[in-house]
Amino acid sequence: MSTTTPEFFNFVNGSWVGPRNGEWIDVVSPRNRQVIARVPRGAEKDVDDAVDAAGRAFPGWRDTAPRARGRLLQQIADAIEPHIERIARQIAEENGNALRTQARGEVQYAVDVFRYFGSVASETKGETIPLNAHVLDYSRREPIGVVGAIVPWNAPVQLASMKIAAALAAGNSLVLKAAEDAPLAVLEITRICADFLPAGVLNVLIGYGTEAGEALITHPAVRKLSFTGSTAVGKRVMAAAAERIVPVSLELGGKNPQIVFPDADEDWVAQGTVTGMRFVRQGQSCTAGSRLFVHRSIVDSFVEKVTGHLAKLKVGDPLDEATDMGAVVNQKQFDRVCSFIDEGLARNDARVAIGGRPPAEGPLSEGFYVEPTVFVGIENSWRIAQEEIFGPVMCVIPWDDEEEVVRMANDTHYGLSAFIWTHDIGKALRTAHSIDAGWVQVNQGGGQVLGQSYGGYKQSGIGREFSLEGMLEGFTERKHISVDTSR
């Protein structure tokens, strides 16, 4: 009995539409390498339609009372909540994140995102300047217009919800391009949003970055670009923005340091570094602490603790409740991760403490599964320690001197996050203040918190997200008005 592959559509001007060019993209599940859906191969004409719809919807949405916009976003949150399980299973199937450890939490986070930005929609406040008795001098925060946003595949629902909620709360209309590797759960969120939003306020397209993405970032009617993804593509987005002098927000890659001081050779710290490395997201996180700087005096004992925790992780089917760590998203990323593992294995001056090449046979060989891998004795200058792998590969780099480890931690063109582990609060704060990163955690390895302005230094990005401040800076423009009241 033959089965038909389900087809999903773009969402433009309040309607679900197929690709203008009639071309489709197969969505392959990393859990078993099977095609699970077809989505539009969006291109320039699809982008034109979406941007036109967003442009026509913008004035009405801009003039909608901020509290009314906020209430709609909160209603969206309420409407998503009963569907957390269904959407989480969709995430697990399409991008490989384990249902229990990742996917459910991601959808719950999306609910919280809509509630948070719904609650601060009326905080787009201006200021007054008391010049003198006869002059009224004040500022306004105004929405920018049509926003073009692009999100990656590693946390599709979380990041799409962030851009949708923040942009719309501030009064903008939006054209969002979802990643072609993991678009299905984003489309489910869009379907729920569509029940509450006026036509054209939110438009969602699927397509390749070189086609739909390029058309979006170069479209003359797009007034703001917001991109989350690799640093290489971020440079292209920034160049396109420069051509038209439009503002851009970039949340890009990271090769993030974790620094373990000699007084932190403890089991809870080892567990914390595993969490900070985002192993249960297969290391597919821009905040992953993949460079583990361990004081030379405790390297052996600390690595033993780390590998002890990693050995307990169950790698397998992301839809299995017993699974801790799922699959790498696609063949291209799987091959990239394996190439770095091969490079590490080929070095005689480093050793692998756990992991290595993926299994060539058995259940794990049926999908894009890579086991947690830790290399010890890595030098900070090696490619494996400098390039973002975006996979479950951690490099242990020994250090002797505090000044030296800060220098090594900062010796990268990235600057997104960092983790410091010590009982000495003086050392912790001194090191935190010295690290070139937008987010530094001390004695914890958790994820981003709503209300906390999140973003990177150097080539890890421009601008901030996850907060009211990020919304104001990223999705509004300040207008100043001066009135002579004596005339």
Side-chain angles (χ1 to χ4, degrees):
M1 178 178 176
S2 63
T3 58
T4 302
T5 302
E7 291 182 346
F8 291 75
F9 298 90
N10 291 328
F11 184 69
V12 177
N13 198 30
S15 298
W16 295 96
V17 296
R20 290 279 296 270
N21 59 14
E23 297 184 29
W24 299 81
I25 299 171
D26 287 340
V27 178
V28 177
S29 175
R31 59 187 286 263
N32 56 15
R33 310 186 191 213
Q34 298 298 306
V35 174
I36 58 172
R38 296 204 313 161
V39 294
R41 182 175 176 175
E44 186 174 353
K45 290 182 179 179
D46 304 281
V47 171
D48 287 342
D49 292 343
V51 173
D52 179 66
R56 286 184 279 110
F58 170 64
W61 185 248
R62 173 197 61 200
D63 295 339
T64 300
R67 286 188 179 181
R69 296 196 299 258
R71 282 194 296 270
L72 290 174
L73 294 177
Q74 290 175 330
Q75 289 169 18
I76 289 171
D78 294 341
I80 294 172
E81 201 157 32
H83 300 285
I84 286 177
E85 183 67 18
R86 178 174 62 84
I87 298 172
R89 294 185 72 84
Q90 187 72 80
I91 293 172
E93 185 169 33
E94 67 178 328
N95 87 340
N97 282 345
L99 181 63
R100 175 176 56 82
T101 58
Q102 290 298 309
R104 284 196 189 103
E106 180 177 341
V107 188
Q108 181 59 62
Y109 197 98
V111 172
D112 295 341
V113 165
F114 279 101
R115 286 192 176 135
Y116 173 81
F117 285 104
S119 72
V120 299
S122 60
E123 294 299 309
T124 52
K125 300 173 180 177
E127 301 166 335
T128 61
I129 300 176
L131 295 181
N132 60 56
H134 304 294
V135 174
L136 171 63
D137 199 273
Y138 67 98
S139 66
R140 288 164 50 92
R141 284 281 188 179
E142 297 184 349
I144 298 171
V146 177
V147 174
I150 300 175
V151 294
W153 42 255
N154 61 318
V157 165
Q158 176 189 8
L159 296 172
S161 297
M162 183 69 60
K163 296 190 190 297
I164 293 169
L168 270 55
N172 303 280
S173 57
L174 180 69
V175 178
L176 174 76
K177 193 198 86 68
E180 68 276 9
D181 292 295
L184 307 182
V186 173
L187 293 176
E188 289 303 312
I189 295 293
T190 304
R191 193 177 305 279
I192 293 170
C193 290
D195 291 336
F196 300 90
L197 300 174
V201 169
L202 172 63
N203 307 272
V204 178
L205 303 174
I206 316 300
Y208 293 119
T210 55
E211 297 172 352
E214 183 69 16
L216 182 59
I217 66 175
T218 57
H219 199 288
V222 172
R223 293 284 306 279
K224 157 79 184 190
L225 295 174
S226 179
F227 172 78
T228 300
S230 72
T231 295
V233 177
K235 291 178 180 180
R236 172 60 197 141
V237 174
M238 192 170 183
E243 289 294 321
R244 305 194 314 283
I245 317 296
V246 300
V248 58
S249 298
L250 303 173
E251 198 277 279
L252 307 177
K255 190 69 176 179
N256 309 293
Q258 301 200 61
I259 299 175
V260 181
F261 280 81
D263 67 343
D265 186 15
E266 299 179 39
D267 193 66
W268 68 270
V269 177
Q271 177 59 69
T273 63
V274 169
T275 302
M277 175 53 211
R278 315 296 189 233
F279 273 111
V280 295
R281 283 181 64 182
Q282 301 80 254
Q284 296 176 143
S285 170
C286 50
T287 64
S290 55
R291 290 186 298 153
L292 183 61
F293 293 96
V294 181
H295 193 271
R296 195 178 304 274
S297 65
I298 63 168
V299 166
D300 291 341
S301 60
F302 191 78
V303 168
E304 184 178 357
K305 294 180 179 68
V306 169
T307 56
H309 285 288
L310 292 176
K312 298 174 185 176
L313 294 181
K314 176 177 170 51
V315 180
D317 185 349
L319 289 173
D320 187 339
E321 290 289 344
T323 295
D324 298 298
M325 181 175 157
V328 171
V329 70
N330 57 28
Q331 183 74 58
K332 179 181 178 181
Q333 188 61 23
F334 179 79
D335 291 343
R336 174 178 170 81
V337 174
C338 289
S339 72
F340 276 98
I341 291 174
D342 288 342
E343 184 175 318
L345 292 172
R347 306 240 13 168
N348 295 325
D349 40 1
R351 67 179 177 89
V352 61
I354 192 171
R357 286 284 303 179
E361 55 187 29
L364 294 186
S365 67
E366 297 173 3
F368 301 126
Y369 297 100
V370 180
E371 294 176 312
T373 298
V374 176
F375 287 103
V376 182
I378 300 294
E379 292 188 14
N380 193 53
S381 60
W382 295 356
R383 192 175 80 97
I384 197 172
Q386 286 293 310
E387 293 192 20
E388 185 179 37
I389 300 173
F390 226 62
V393 181
M394 175 186 275
C395 299
V396 177
I397 304 169
W399 62 277
D400 299 290
D401 175 74
E402 185 178 324
E403 184 176 325
E404 171 201 22
V405 74
V406 169
R407 178 190 58 76
M408 287 194 295
N410 288 334
D411 184 19
T412 172
H413 60 266
Y414 294 113
L416 187 56
S417 70
F419 309 81
I420 299 164
W421 305 92
T422 179
H423 290 283
D424 188 326
I425 192 63
K427 286 183 179 179
L429 294 178
R430 184 167 61 247
T431 305
H433 296 170
S434 301
I435 295 294
D436 297 334
W439 180 32
V440 181
Q441 298 190 68
V442 176
N443 293 337
Q444 64 175 38
Q448 299 95 322
V449 177
L450 283 168
Q452 174 189 75
S453 291
Y454 165 75
Y457 284 16
K458 300 189 284 191
Q459 291 188 33
S460 285
I462 295 173
R464 295 295 181 265
E465 293 185 307
F466 290 81
S467 67
L468 168 61
E469 293 80 11
M471 180 187 81
L472 293 176
E473 295 170 8
F475 294 108
T476 69
E477 293 184 298
R478 186 189 294 269
K479 176 184 286 183
H480 218 76
I481 301 171
S482 302
V483 182
D484 184 343
T485 62
S486 67
R487 304 291 180 179

